Amino acid sequence: MKAWKKAMALLMASTMVLPMGAGMTAMAEEGEKYEVAFIVRNAADAFVARIINSFEAEAEKYEDLFSLEILDAQADPDKQNSMIETCITKGYDCIIVQPNDGDLQKPYCEQVLDAGIKLITTNAGIREIEGGSWVDADPYEQGKVLADLAVENAPEGARTVIMSCNPGNLHTESRLAAYKDIYVTERDDAEILAEKITDRADEATFMATMEDWVQSFGQIDVVLTIGDTLALSAHEVVKDDDTYKDTQYYGVDGLPEALLAIKRGTMTATVMQDTDEMAQKNLEAAAKLLKGEEEVIESKLDAILITADNVDEYLDYYVEKGALTQEEVDAVRAEVGE
């Protein structure tokens, strides 16, 4: 709804009492819908692309209540802040933000609430904004389940590297903290060869980092990463070198490519974030906020550990959801003799 509509609604509210729930935005004029903006971190990222697809599909359920516009910040926190300001000026009724950097985005998200607009932050949610809503997984828990597994699986004296990205992001920093708190502490026999937080979040950067480590350290037993794209990129560098045939790779996001890699035996584990669940909970929250059913919503997503033991279940789930084809899954199963 445009800004002038909000002004008219506020004027009407000053002269009459409407039967609205606490915190409800001004009711849409007859025959018109609310407007929701979703500002994503970086649409070029494989996981974010899946999020966008899930949001677009889920938004069809709410087409009588609100329209959804998806905007791409292109991995630029400053651009994301500018987009938030533009959405405020345009008078959206609800703005959903997937922050590049929670610390940098927080003041601009607070401006959303100051303007009387509903705010939801997601993946990674900014949880310290008074009056703001969030929908998010527990990133420390995601790192913990992987770290616990690595503590059990890593060989004695494991030569280990740790790769992260997006400094300032709640998810990346929390997963990294879990690796240090659990794996580094409990496996004091492990040799931590290197740790790097890359400023750029793209496959070329991740591969270049792994190439540097291979040249510097030779054998690497464990690669702990905060995302599947990092783990898959690291494996790509050494996939044809038998020196690394037993290297363990850990990531987060549950990308379809990661599940196929786990089935092939070239990746050890991932933690799935169900993008359909993310979309469902975000847009359900937007609907409740807009209709005045809730003032603030805090909603957690499940962290699902996927390994060789249960990967088939989730491969079939992805086929059902259309994220993979049956032919793709059958081809990989044939590769491993199934």
Side-chain angles (χ1 to χ4, degrees):
M1 186 184 299
K2 304 304 179 186
W4 69 269
K5 298 177 188 173
K6 293 184 185 294
M8 181 62 71
L10 291 171
L11 177 62
M12 293 174 63
S14 69
T15 59
M16 61 185 293
V17 177
L18 297 176
M20 294 181 179
M24 185 175 183
T25 57
M27 295 182 68
E29 295 180 11
E30 185 176 355
E32 295 191 2
K33 298 187 293 186
Y34 293 108
E35 295 179 348
V36 177
F38 178 28
I39 308 174
V40 301
R41 181 170 59 241
N42 179 18
D45 179 273
F47 181 64
V48 178
R50 285 184 54 224
I51 292 174
I52 291 172
N53 290 338
S54 293
F55 268 73
E56 289 175 340
E58 185 70 17
E60 295 177 5
K61 300 177 183 179
Y62 296 94
E63 57 186 10
D64 292 336
L65 179 64
F66 59 74
S67 61
L68 177 69
E69 182 173 2
I70 298 177
L71 306 170
D72 179 14
Q74 299 177 337
D76 185 337
D78 292 332
K79 183 169 186 175
Q80 191 163 51
N81 288 338
S82 178
M83 286 182 164
I84 293 171
E85 289 183 316
T86 299
C87 287
I88 293 171
T89 301
K90 288 185 175 181
Y92 282 89
D93 300 286
C94 178
I95 300 174
I96 304 172
V97 180
Q98 182 197 25
N100 273 287
D101 184 320
D103 291 338
L104 295 178
Q105 264 70 79
K106 182 181 176 183
Y108 292 83
C109 288
E110 290 172 336
Q111 291 179 30
V112 173
L113 293 171
D114 291 341
I117 298 170
K118 302 301 181 182
L119 169 72
I120 304 171
T121 58
T122 191
N123 188 248
I126 307 174
R127 307 186 186 196
E128 303 81 17
I129 300 177
E130 184 176 355
S133 298
W134 54 263
V135 176
D136 205 5
D138 181 340
Y140 189 90
E141 178 65 18
Q142 292 172 333
K144 179 183 182 301
V145 297
L146 289 170
D148 287 340
L149 185 64
V151 166
E152 295 179 11
N153 286 354
E156 186 70 22
R159 295 168 60 81
T160 303
V161 293
I162 304 174
M163 193 189 309
S164 184
C165 63
N166 294 330
N169 181 281
L170 172 66
H171 275 215
T172 61
E173 292 188 345
S174 297
R175 294 167 192 165
L176 185 60
Y179 292 157
K180 293 180 178 179
D181 291 346
I182 299 167
Y183 179 81
V184 175
T185 299
E186 296 186 19
R187 288 299 304 266
D188 55 6
D189 64 299
E191 183 180 359
I192 308 303
L193 301 173
E195 174 194 327
K196 185 168 184 178
I197 303 174
T198 66
D199 291 327
R200 295 179 60 85
D202 56 75
E203 293 179 14
T205 300
F206 305 146
M207 291 179 69
T209 300
M210 185 64 174
E211 287 169 353
D212 289 343
W213 288 342
V214 167
Q215 293 175 9
S216 298
F217 307 119
Q219 179 185 343
I220 296 171
D221 299 308
V222 174
V223 180
L224 288 171
T225 78
I226 55 76
D228 288 342
T229 302
L230 288 74
L232 293 168
S233 298
H235 173 262
E236 183 68 20
V237 171
V238 297
K239 66 180 181 180
D240 297 321
D241 188 338
D242 284 345
T243 304
Y244 303 91
K245 63 183 178 63
D246 295 323
T247 301
Q248 299 175 15
Y249 301 87
Y250 298 82
V252 181
D253 287 335
L255 294 180
E257 297 80 5
L259 269 62
L260 293 174
I262 291 172
K263 186 63 182 176
R264 288 189 178 101
T266 58
M267 186 165 166
T268 309
T270 184
V271 173
M272 177 181 175
Q273 297 186 94
D274 189 338
T275 59
D276 287 348
E277 180 190 16
M278 189 185 303
Q280 180 265 319
K281 289 190 173 182
N282 269 282
L283 296 186
E284 180 182 54
K288 287 181 177 180
L289 292 170
L290 291 169
K291 292 189 292 185
E293 296 175 0
E294 302 281 353
E295 290 186 34
V296 174
I297 295 174
E298 298 176 349
S299 182
K300 285 188 177 181
L301 305 173
D302 294 330
I304 304 168
L305 177 65
I306 300 177
T307 67
D309 292 337
N310 64 349
V311 69
D312 282 310
E313 173 187 350
Y314 292 99
L315 286 171
D316 292 339
Y317 172 74
Y318 274 10
V319 170
E320 178 185 345
K321 292 294 184 179
L324 288 169
T325 66
Q326 190 64 59
E327 291 75 14
E328 288 174 316
V329 173
D330 287 345
V332 173
R333 285 173 174 160
E335 284 181 34
V336 299
E338 294 184 5

